[in-house]
Amino acid sequence: MGFALITGAGKGIGACFAKQLAAQKYDLLLVSRTEKDLIDLKSQITEKYGIKVHILALDLSINGSVNKVLEWASIITNDIEIVINNAGYAVWGNFQEKEVQKTLAMMHV
């Protein structure tokens, strides 16, 4: 198996995706804002499944962060078979009343 790249992998659905793919023997590239969540998940997965797990703590709402993910991943492998873009959040309310920067940050994610 090759690699699977998962954003929003630190907890919730992203962590579930990571565990499911690890059980199928995919090596993992995991991205999340919270480094502690990634470290804990990496420990669980490597102990249980014995696969390669690489982690990157990065806030994807920051402009240019996607390029950082691509650079990081390309250093590790050129064999990414699956990409799960699970990261996300929402800005609730009337669009015209929301701060432009918050909406732009959400769009980066």
Side-chain angles (χ1 to χ4, degrees):
M1 295 283 174
F3 278 83
L5 169 65
I6 306 169
T7 66
K11 56 188 168 188
I13 294 171
C16 290
F17 278 128
K19 291 173 185 176
Q20 289 294 314
L21 290 167
Q24 296 176 44
K25 299 301 181 191
Y26 281 93
D27 293 318
L28 302 174
L29 303 172
L30 306 177
V31 181
S32 180
R33 286 183 304 179
T34 310
E35 187 172 36
K36 182 185 180 325
D37 291 341
L38 289 171
I39 291 168
D40 292 345
L41 181 60
K42 177 181 178 176
S43 177
Q44 293 170 26
I45 288 174
T46 54
E47 184 177 312
K48 186 169 183 177
Y49 299 105
I51 60 160
K52 295 176 191 169
V53 179
H54 300 270
I55 61 173
L56 176 63
L58 182 65
D59 184 345
L60 295 176
S61 70
I62 298 169
N63 190 18
S65 58
V66 171
N67 289 332
K68 289 180 182 179
V69 172
L70 293 173
E71 291 170 13
W72 167 74
S74 69
I75 291 168
I76 297 167
T77 185
N78 62 356
D79 188 24
I80 297 175
E81 293 183 15
I82 297 173
V83 175
I84 299 176
N85 187 22
N86 177 68
Y89 71 94
V91 176
W92 300 101
N94 190 326
F95 179 77
Q96 293 91 345
E97 296 172 2
K98 296 300 162 191
E99 294 178 36
V100 172
Q101 291 302 346
K102 288 183 179 181
T103 300
L104 290 173
M106 179 182 65
M107 291 170 52
H108 286 295
V109 174

